[in-house]
Amino acid sequence: MILSLLITPLLGVIGVILSGENSSLQKKVALASSLLTFVLSLVLWAGFDSNYNGFQFVSSFPTITTKEVVGVDGISLFFVLLTTFIIPICILSSWDSIKTGIKYFLIAFLVLETLLIAVFVVLDLLLFYICFESVLIPMFLIIGIWGAILS
């Protein structure tokens, strides 16, 4: 379940890339991907057992050097919900205001969503640090390129 939360925005990135130069289609693909991620987080919330004291939906996947583990607890679940709730609002609020580099803007937002979800679900300190610092890259691009009007 958590891996699908991490993969869905990345599939949206692929969809935005494959949509060519049609900015309307790019926006719709990015919005659909972020809304699907929000629905998946609501399903995660519905399946969460608040009486259990510990990490839930724990899954692991092997990497080249180690085995990475992801899961949610009562606090990180609400941060995941908040993240997946805010990203579609951000995409909708910039629907008409972003005129240049729409594809890259949407890609940066979907990558940002993936990294933010990863920050809240990883259970390994090193991977948490890597994801936490990696959030700065798309955020820097979004703020630096589309965050202010040049005079």
Side-chain angles (χ1 to χ4, degrees):
M1 176 58 92
I2 294 178
L3 293 178
S4 63
L5 272 175
L6 292 169
I7 291 172
T8 305
L10 294 178
L11 292 176
V13 167
I14 293 171
V16 168
I17 292 171
L18 294 178
S19 64
E21 296 302 318
N22 186 353
S23 63
S24 175
L25 181 61
Q26 291 169 353
K27 292 176 187 178
K28 291 175 185 173
V29 168
L31 182 63
S33 170
S34 63
L35 286 173
L36 180 61
T37 307
F38 178 59
V39 169
L40 287 173
S41 69
L42 290 175
V43 170
L44 187 75
W45 184 28
F48 188 79
D49 181 14
S50 60
N51 294 325
Y52 180 72
N53 188 13
F55 290 103
Q56 297 179 34
F57 304 105
V58 175
S59 60
S60 62
F61 54 97
T63 60
I64 295 172
T65 57
T66 171
K67 186 172 80 170
E68 303 302 335
V69 181
V70 294
V72 292
D73 61 354
I75 297 173
S76 64
L77 173 70
F78 290 106
F79 283 121
V80 169
L81 281 167
L82 182 65
T83 300
T84 58
F85 177 71
I86 287 177
I87 295 295
I89 293 173
C90 292
I91 292 173
L92 282 173
S93 68
S94 63
W95 197 266
D96 292 326
S97 60
I98 303 297
K99 304 289 185 204
T100 60
I102 296 169
K103 176 191 278 188
Y104 305 110
F105 176 78
L106 296 171
I107 289 171
F109 252 105
L110 292 173
V111 169
L112 179 68
E113 181 177 24
T114 301
L115 291 171
L116 283 171
I117 293 170
V119 163
F120 299 127
V121 300
V122 296
L123 301 180
D124 179 30
L125 184 61
L126 180 63
L127 190 58
F128 167 79
Y129 178 74
I130 291 170
C131 292
F132 184 78
E133 293 297 324
S134 297
V135 164
L136 297 175
I137 298 168
M139 192 177 300
F140 173 77
L141 292 173
I142 291 168
I143 294 170
I145 297 172
W146 297 281
I149 298 173
L150 298 176
S151 52

